[in-house]
Amino acid sequence: MLCTQLYLNCRASPKSQPCLPPYTGVIKRAPSRQRSSALARRARASAPASAVSRGKCLGFCQVTPAMSAWELFSLSDQWVSVRQVIRVYSEDNSSRAVEVPSDITARDICQLFVLKNHCIDDHSWTLFEHLTHLGIERTIEDHESVLEVQSNWGMDSDSRLYFRKNYAKYEFFKKPLDFFPENMVSISSEANGLMNHSQLIQTFLNSSTCPEIHGFLHSKEQGRKSWKKFYFVLRRSGLYFSNKGTSKEPRHLQFAAEFCDSDVYTLLSARKTHGAPTDYGFCVKPSKSSSARDLKLLCADDEQTRTCWITAMRLFKFGMQLYQNFIQPHQKQKSSPMRSISENSLVAMDFSGQRSRVIENPSEALSVAVEEGLSWRVRLTCISGHTTAILGDLCLAIHMAQPWFHSKLSRDEAHKLITQHGLIDGVFLLRDSQSNPKTFVLSLCHTQRIRHFQILPVEDDGELFYSLDDGNTRFSDLLQLVEFYQLNRGVLPCKLKHHCARTTL
């Protein structure tokens, strides 16, 4: 039995009347010809008189006083077809269901959850397609239709949408050379010359040029357990592999996959699930298929190689649309400026004189930070005789409440969380040390590699400090340590820029 709720909410233009409250009448089944006029009168009587008299729209349709029950019933079916409920998950597997229109995009979903969760919109929030039964996931591009993506899922598949940050989503537009090593990229003879590094991205976006990615990858054929290493070539026309060494002659290149109706996914556990030689696996899957037999399984030797292939496949598939997705938020931000949240907004200040000033010297900034921490401890000593106990509890509460601190997180879990947030320079988190309960660990990404730095407690005259360099630079608490290394690189390979935080929906 069909049960449909009929709405009179309109998408009114700025000059039209405000939207009306929903009409809550329920049409339980298709009316017969005899009951047509009675149901029509009842529907119009239940709706606000102004809606019937002025002919307000139903979704995208028009409701008029002369409509029969058959027409109202038809409009209700149209409304149901343009409104659906989707469920979105976060990193901690909490979820929220929302009702959305049929044309909603991934960016619209991200904006919706940014507003609902009061998050800061730094343009890194991303919607992921997670196919559990295949062990793969991919970034849903900002312009893609979410309901169209869901329509390709199998009825019995455990597929999910995840909402989380991905700092590397458009980083290749800012630092292309970090994503495309020179030895993997070449331009065909039609481009008349070698690759110009300053115009690398334009080469991919310009349809008149023919860049290609080439290198060795491990490939697994369907029905076989073993992986073989081939020389692959990625062009605008598709992905090819050579059956004779590194030859690129047409007679030696065999077609492997195309991207018009396919998407590139990351393998979540390549070694465990597919027996891959490394954990840097990815695959090409037809958009309309949800079967493991249709996956083209590939595996790289390192993270940088995998990132290069996946990024190039995204560029070849979506082209200029990716660049428009990248610049659109920045164009909106220029029209309505908001507070910057980049690392450039964090500066050391000196308020000791009559006029405040910015401290540009890192050594001076360090000495001011240490002096401030020591004076803070002196004030606590004057307040209470139990300084050690109060200070320990206070320091514990300070870093425990920070979004970048993850208490009981193992090394492998930290590696996974940072990878999910995007492998770009400066992505970091702090956690408890698994080997030494009294110490902490800073996990930091640099050049697409994750490194771990131990934070050691240092005692001096009965006072406790924290240090990354064996006590040469000391901090009163972990919050002070993080704030300092957000401004200064110090002993680290790069500054702390983007922290990993788990969002609860």
Side-chain angles (χ1 to χ4, degrees):
M1 181 177 292
L2 175 65
C3 182
T4 305
Q5 189 176 18
L6 190 61
Y7 283 88
L8 288 169
N9 285 345
C10 65
R11 293 193 175 185
S13 62
K15 295 182 180 180
S16 64
Q17 298 293 330
C19 293
L20 297 172
Y23 161 60
T24 58
V26 175
I27 300 176
K28 294 186 177 179
R29 59 187 173 87
S32 63
R33 296 287 182 180
Q34 293 78 9
R35 301 176 60 205
S36 234
S37 58
L39 284 176
R41 286 194 300 272
R42 187 185 306 172
R44 286 192 291 270
S46 301
S50 58
V52 179
S53 62
R54 291 196 300 267
K56 284 296 177 183
C57 61
L58 171 67
F60 301 101
C61 308
Q62 197 77 9
V63 177
T64 63
M67 278 189 173
S68 67
W70 282 101
E71 293 171 316
L72 289 171
F73 182 79
S74 175
L75 291 183
S76 68
D77 280 348
Q78 294 179 31
W79 176 255
V80 171
S81 66
V82 299
R83 303 288 293 186
Q84 293 192 30
V85 175
I86 65 171
R87 183 170 292 276
V88 180
Y89 293 80
S90 63
E91 294 101 333
D92 62 355
N93 285 324
S94 62
S95 65
R96 177 178 291 189
V98 291
E99 187 181 14
V100 297
S102 61
D103 59 347
I104 195 166
T105 64
R107 170 165 288 168
D108 296 333
I109 294 290
C110 291
Q111 292 291 323
L112 176 64
F113 280 99
V114 164
L115 294 175
K116 284 183 175 291
N117 292 278
H118 308 287
C119 302
I120 296 177
D121 187 10
D122 57 358
H123 317 311
S124 62
W125 292 103
T126 308
L127 200 64
F128 287 85
E129 179 188 11
H130 183 96
L131 306 181
T132 307
H133 66 293
L134 298 177
I136 60 177
E137 76 172 14
R138 75 173 179 100
T139 296
I140 302 179
E141 305 299 345
D142 287 341
H143 68 279
E144 287 190 84
S145 169
V146 177
L147 295 184
E148 185 176 339
V149 171
Q150 282 192 321
S151 66
N152 297 325
W153 295 353
M155 295 297 294
D156 56 346
S157 64
D158 183 15
S159 304
R160 294 182 175 183
L161 297 173
Y162 275 90
F163 170 72
R164 65 171 184 260
K165 285 195 172 186
N166 179 16
Y167 296 110
K169 181 166 60 172
Y170 298 125
E171 188 71 11
F172 55 88
F173 285 120
K174 304 175 184 177
K175 300 178 180 179
L177 296 182
D178 292 347
F179 286 77
F180 300 104
E182 185 176 0
N183 62 329
M184 291 184 61
V185 183
S186 62
I187 308 297
S188 68
S189 57
E190 299 177 7
N192 297 324
L194 299 176
M195 177 181 60
N196 186 341
H197 289 199
S198 63
Q199 299 178 348
L200 178 59
I201 290 298
Q202 291 298 327
T203 303
F204 281 95
L205 299 179
N206 188 357
S207 58
S208 63
T209 58
C210 301
E212 68 176 29
I213 306 295
H214 51 81
F216 284 97
L217 290 172
H218 303 273
S219 176
K220 182 181 180 182
E221 298 180 5
Q222 291 299 331
R224 295 189 179 183
K225 295 184 178 180
S226 61
W227 290 71
K228 291 186 178 181
K229 200 169 188 178
F230 294 98
Y231 187 79
F232 280 83
V233 178
L234 177 63
R235 295 172 177 170
R236 293 194 186 277
S237 56
L239 180 66
Y240 304 85
F241 68 93
S242 176
N243 57 15
K244 186 176 181 180
T246 59
S247 173
K248 296 183 182 180
E249 295 185 18
R251 60 195 180 104
H252 294 148
L253 292 180
Q254 296 187 18
F255 178 78
E258 54 86 27
F259 304 99
C260 180
D261 297 317
S262 301
D263 296 293
V264 57
Y265 291 76
T266 300
L267 298 181
L268 299 179
S269 54
R271 280 184 173 175
K272 182 178 179 181
T273 306
H274 302 283
T278 71
D279 283 324
Y280 309 110
F282 61 103
C283 70
V284 179
K285 184 186 79 68
S287 302
K288 302 296 182 182
S289 174
S290 59
S291 173
R293 293 173 298 181
D294 297 327
L295 300 182
K296 180 63 180 179
L297 300 176
L298 302 167
C299 183
D301 289 329
D302 53 63
E303 182 61 48
Q304 186 180 31
T305 302
R306 177 173 70 170
T307 301
C308 177
W309 285 99
I310 293 178
T311 305
M313 290 176 183
R314 290 175 59 200
L315 281 168
F316 279 142
K317 179 176 174 64
F318 298 106
M320 185 61 71
Q321 181 64 59
L322 279 188
Y323 184 71
Q324 293 174 355
N325 293 347
F326 165 63
I327 64 175
Q328 183 179 351
H330 300 283
Q331 291 177 340
K332 290 183 177 180
Q333 188 171 346
K334 288 180 181 179
S335 60
S336 57
M338 62 178 291
R339 180 177 58 87
S340 173
I341 56 172
S342 66
E343 69 276 7
N344 294 328
S345 64
L346 301 174
V347 295
M349 299 290 296
D350 178 16
F351 299 99
S352 59
Q354 294 181 352
R355 298 181 60 184
S356 60
R357 66 182 181 91
V358 176
I359 303 177
E360 299 180 354
N361 189 337
S363 301
E364 184 182 0
L366 174 60
S367 62
V368 170
V370 174
E371 182 180 353
E372 181 182 355
L374 291 175
S375 62
W376 178 63
R377 287 171 177 270
V378 170
R379 290 195 297 270
L380 282 178
T381 306
C382 299
I383 294 174
S384 172
H386 304 284
T387 309
T388 305
I390 295 177
L391 187 60
D393 294 341
L394 186 56
C395 290
L396 179 64
I398 286 177
H399 72 257
M400 288 289 290
Q402 301 305 313
W404 39 256
F405 184 76
H406 303 265
S407 179
K408 304 297 181 181
L409 200 69
S410 66
R411 186 186 184 97
D412 293 338
E413 290 172 336
H415 191 284
K416 179 181 178 181
L417 186 58
I418 293 178
T419 302
Q420 288 178 344
H421 281 72
L423 294 177
I424 65 172
D425 291 355
V427 178
F428 75 98
L429 61 85
L430 267 72
R431 58 187 175 87
D432 291 322
S433 174
Q434 299 292 309
S435 57
N436 190 346
K438 295 183 180 181
T439 63
F440 301 94
V441 176
L442 168 65
S443 299
L444 174 65
C445 178
H446 180 247
T447 62
Q448 299 183 15
R449 292 180 176 86
I450 300 175
R451 300 177 60 182
H452 305 274
F453 302 89
Q454 197 168 42
I455 303 174
L456 299 175
V458 179
E459 289 191 14
D460 187 8
D461 295 334
E463 297 184 10
L464 183 65
F465 298 91
Y466 295 97
S467 176
L468 274 172
D469 52 5
D470 297 327
N472 294 325
T473 310
R474 304 176 184 182
F475 302 94
S476 304
D477 52 61
L478 296 183
L479 177 59
Q480 192 182 62
L481 182 146
V482 169
E483 290 178 343
F484 173 79
Y485 286 108
Q486 284 178 324
L487 299 171
N488 308 275
R489 191 181 74 175
V491 295
L492 300 177
C494 63
K495 297 179 184 179
L496 307 182
K497 295 182 180 180
H498 311 289
H499 67 268
C500 294
R502 283 177 170 165
T503 304
T504 301
L505 298 181

